[in-house]
Amino acid sequence: MIYLDNSSTSFYKPHEVISSVSATLKNLSANAGRAGHYYAKKAAFALNDTRVKAANLFGFEPQRTIFTYGCTDSLNLAIYGLNIRGNVVTTAFEHNSVLRPLYDLKNSGKISLTIVNPDSEGIITEQAVLDAIDRRTKLVVINAVSNVTGTVLPYKEVYRRLQGTGIIMLTDAAQAVGSIMPSEICGDIIAVAPHKGLHAPQGVGLLMFNEKVELMSLRKGGTGTMSANLTQPNDLPEGLESGTLPLPAIMGLNAAITVYKRSCEKWRKKVETLGRYAFVKLKRCATVYTKNPVAGIIAFNVKNYDSAFTCDALGEKGLCLRCGLHCAPLLHKAYGTIDRGMVRASVGPDNDFKDIDYLVESIKQI
């Protein structure tokens, strides 16, 4: 089998990550911060060590670095936790993890919503986002990299222009880590999917925010602090992390960060090189929607076939790809593929040129 679905989740997990998850399950199955015994203290120390590593990697304060149960959880906490009233600006390139919460708030009358569509070249421009902002705008939500086409959006430029306006920017960085260095990912709030570009286990997400941001908790319950108080505490980070945290996944993230820091540039270059190679090759045998393959993502269709048909045909040849709408319906409406979707190939650092060559030859045989 050839795995080309790394935008969904990275298949490659370093042995250090696997070992860390296994060791935690075997030797550290305690509830961090909920007791004073040896294992609870050791678990709390390990949890804090991971928090500090993650905060340092992305340039945020540890107490404002929140563990969640995935990037969807992170985005929901950010969007609902801000308790915004007013206008929100977002783009047609967003994932349903952003769109569905925003439309829920819009339909309940709590916000107005402005969607920025791509231009005739299929690009979301900085100016288009800025032109959508008005005096009522309180929040801009933008993904750094499209999960469908791999397009890098102008999140840096928009964030720079928002400084001093009082408008908060939430950056969905789910697809960014791996092709963009963490230190270059900016926003007042950043949501991260560690199981993708960091090659961490599924089951843990990150939400980080600066001092401009105050979030209300969505999940009420035990925090290990102020237990006599029947209202949710506001202290960070515990006030936003009620319940037992997924320590095995978090310790897998701990190991993943260590491996990532020594491997990130090598991985990034390989993913970009393979992406560019696939881009050139696929343009000769398919309709390619990707504009710039720096993220190692190529979205395409073959002839007039439905994307599901193409994926099934290629799946029979041992190729693991993603078809359909990729949870990003507004992008497909903008590109005219809402009815048949797109096929997405997304490479990882464990892929090679032979995988791309086999994909291309398999497409020619459909």
Side-chain angles (χ1 to χ4, degrees):
M1 302 297 290
I2 296 175
Y3 188 83
L4 294 171
D5 194 22
N6 290 279
S7 291
S8 290
T9 191
S10 59
F11 191 80
Y12 168 66
K13 306 298 182 190
H15 69 87
E16 294 94 335
V17 172
I18 297 169
S19 296
S20 183
V21 172
S22 178
T24 304
L25 287 168
K26 289 179 180 178
N27 305 315
L28 201 55
S29 287
N31 205 335
R34 297 299 195 273
H37 59 72
Y38 171 80
Y39 288 112
K41 288 181 178 179
K42 189 174 181 181
F45 177 84
L47 188 77
N48 185 65
D49 182 61
T50 309
R51 193 188 306 279
V52 170
K53 283 184 176 180
N56 290 341
L57 185 66
F58 289 92
F60 285 83
E61 296 177 7
Q63 71 179 38
R64 294 176 177 272
T65 299
I66 308 301
F67 293 120
T68 66
Y69 296 98
C71 198
T72 296
D73 194 31
S74 296
L75 290 164
N76 272 257
L77 174 56
I79 292 169
Y80 287 109
L82 282 168
N83 199 25
I84 288 288
R85 297 295 184 272
N87 177 249
V88 177
V89 172
T90 192
T91 83
F93 280 20
E94 305 307 313
H95 191 277
N96 275 339
S97 297
V98 165
L99 294 176
R100 285 176 173 170
L102 289 179
Y103 271 90
D104 178 50
L105 292 175
K106 176 180 181 290
N107 293 337
S108 64
K110 294 178 180 177
I111 65 168
S112 60
L113 184 60
T114 304
I115 305 292
V116 179
N117 286 301
D119 62 17
S120 59
E121 300 297 318
I123 300 296
I124 301 286
T125 66
E126 170 194 356
Q127 194 58 50
V129 177
L130 295 174
D131 287 346
I133 294 171
D134 62 28
R135 59 182 178 79
R136 302 168 301 141
T137 302
K138 304 296 183 183
L139 173 67
V140 173
V141 187
I142 186 169
N143 58 8
V145 175
S146 166
N147 71 300
V148 182
T149 64
T151 299
V152 179
L153 277 75
Y155 69 98
K156 287 184 184 178
E157 296 83 355
V158 171
Y159 186 57
R160 184 174 62 247
R161 295 287 293 274
L162 290 180
Q163 298 308 296
T165 66
I167 299 171
I168 292 171
M169 190 173 102
L170 164 59
T171 303
D172 177 2
Q175 215 64 62
V177 180
S179 56
I180 298 174
M181 300 302 286
S183 60
E184 297 177 6
I185 300 172
C186 55
D188 297 304
I189 316 174
I190 295 176
V192 175
H195 67 95
K196 298 189 181 190
L198 287 177
H199 302 275
Q202 298 168 347
V204 61
L206 290 170
L207 185 70
M208 294 158 285
F209 52 94
N210 62 27
E211 65 284 349
K212 287 172 55 178
V213 175
E214 291 186 11
L215 297 176
M216 66 177 189
S217 61
L218 304 186
R219 191 170 58 248
K220 317 295 184 184
T223 61
T225 60
M226 302 176 66
S227 295
N229 195 336
L230 297 180
T231 59
Q232 185 74 6
N234 295 321
D235 53 325
L236 296 174
E238 294 86 358
L240 298 176
E241 293 179 343
S242 289
T244 299
L245 290 172
L247 189 61
I250 289 171
M251 293 313 297
L253 172 59
N254 190 307
I257 291 173
T258 299
V259 176
Y260 177 83
K261 288 172 70 174
R262 69 169 184 258
S263 308
C264 57
E265 186 59 22
K266 178 179 69 175
W267 288 351
R268 186 195 64 77
K269 287 181 178 178
K270 186 173 184 183
V271 166
E272 180 176 348
T273 299
L274 287 173
R276 292 190 182 281
Y277 182 76
F279 180 72
V280 172
K281 289 280 189 175
L282 286 168
K283 287 187 77 171
R284 298 171 183 169
C285 61
T287 300
V288 173
Y289 302 97
T290 295
K291 306 299 180 183
N292 189 339
V294 294
I297 299 171
I298 312 295
F300 64 94
N301 272 317
V302 177
K303 300 177 182 176
N304 62 345
Y305 299 140
D306 186 270
S307 63
F309 173 85
T310 302
C311 264
D312 287 345
L314 295 173
E316 291 177 0
K317 297 179 180 295
L319 287 155
C320 301
L321 301 155
R322 174 77 183 271
C323 67
L325 302 183
H326 316 92
C327 302
L330 298 187
L331 181 148
H332 286 277
K333 285 183 179 179
Y335 274 75
T337 55
I338 191 67
D339 292 326
R340 66 169 178 159
M342 298 179 189
V343 181
R344 184 187 67 193
S346 47
V347 301
D350 55 332
N351 289 119
D352 56 34
F353 293 108
K354 292 186 294 183
D355 296 338
I356 306 303
D357 291 338
Y358 182 73
L359 169 63
V360 170
E361 291 305 312
S362 297
I363 289 172
K364 292 177 180 178
Q365 295 171 21
I366 297 177

